[in-house]
Amino acid sequence: MHRLLRAFFQNARKPDGAAGRVMLWAMNWGHASLAKWGRAHVSPEPDARVLDIGCGGGANLAQFLKLCPQGHVCGIDFSTESVASSLRKNAGAVAAGRCEVRQGDVSRLPYADGSFDLATAFETVYFWPDVPAAFAEVFRVLRPSGVFLIVNEESGDSRWCAIVDGMRTYAADTLTEWLHAAGFDDVKADIREDGALCLVAKKAPDSV
């Protein structure tokens, strides 16, 4: 692959600059169908507190703001370009105090224990350096009975892993094992014929 094209695709991991803005636009558009399929697996309450980890261009933040009209929706991403894009896309909700977006790392989520009813990760687990530790952090910030939604490709011969540095896909069984180890007691997987994977992990009502 041409060196410049390969460099552009690194923005899938951490969008940066003008190329990053193009990538974020492309992901908001190109991932819309998969994200819609994933969101159909959860039913947050109208007043739910939602955290989207790796919020990218902010498209899923916008959808959860619609699904939770009395709720509060937070996004976190380690790319400054992604944070800026998410803030622009959801400017009205940010101004109204219903949405906030922070730059941060899934391994050290800047939120107190039990802060959220729902946490989501759309096409981002690929890039987490320590997935089991990250799952433990997500478990920590969820309230008892909270739900963690993961949507991405299952492991296989993903050509993107050979193009994007640091990208890795995982089997549903592996992710399920790590979720149980983090404390989630109920994990359900849905795998489409095209390899798309959705995992819904629930925190027990009596968890702390």
Side-chain angles (χ1 to χ4, degrees):
M1 177 178 292
H2 192 281
R3 183 165 54 89
L4 291 178
L5 189 59
R6 185 182 181 88
F8 169 74
F9 282 117
Q10 302 314 308
N11 285 281
R13 181 178 64 87
K14 189 176 183 181
D16 183 52
R21 289 191 289 276
V22 172
M23 179 60 74
L24 288 165
W25 175 86
M27 289 192 295
N28 273 353
W29 176 80
H31 295 172
S33 177
L34 177 64
K36 181 178 180 180
W37 173 73
R39 288 193 305 271
H41 290 77
V42 294
S43 301
E45 295 294 328
D47 61 349
R49 288 185 58 85
V50 180
L51 172 64
D52 185 33
I53 304 166
C55 57
N60 285 301
L61 297 177
Q63 293 300 321
F64 281 113
L65 284 163
K66 293 177 183 177
L67 288 170
C68 308
Q70 288 85 51
H72 189 80
V73 179
C74 298
I76 188 167
D77 203 291
F78 80 151
S79 161
T80 56
E81 200 64 62
S82 293
V83 170
S85 178
S86 287
L87 287 170
R88 286 193 299 270
K89 184 168 183 62
N90 298 284
V94 172
R98 293 193 54 231
C99 179
E100 66 177 62
V101 185
R102 301 187 191 184
Q103 185 175 11
D105 187 334
V106 67
S107 66
R108 296 181 299 277
L109 292 172
Y111 303 101
D113 296 359
S115 294
F116 298 98
D117 302 292
L118 171 66
T120 63
F122 291 89
E123 302 222 64
T124 183
V125 172
Y126 312 129
F127 307 114
W128 296 359
D130 187 341
V131 178
F135 284 175
E137 264 293 271
V138 176
F139 183 87
R140 179 186 65 79
V141 301
L142 282 172
R143 294 171 175 168
S145 299
V147 173
F148 181 25
L149 171 69
I150 300 171
V151 183
N152 50 227
E153 294 179 37
E154 199 188 18
S155 64
D157 296 327
S158 174
R159 62 191 179 97
W160 294 109
C161 292
I163 297 170
V164 182
D165 294 341
M167 180 175 178
R168 184 176 179 184
T169 56
Y170 300 95
D173 288 348
T174 299
L175 294 174
T176 297
E177 180 182 344
W178 290 340
L179 287 164
H180 282 304
F184 293 98
D185 71 333
D186 182 8
V187 182
K188 291 182 172 61
D190 186 8
I191 306 174
R192 297 194 313 200
E193 290 185 359
D194 64 358
L197 168 65
C198 177
L199 286 165
V200 179
K202 295 183 180 179
K203 187 172 181 176
D206 56 354
S207 295
V208 293

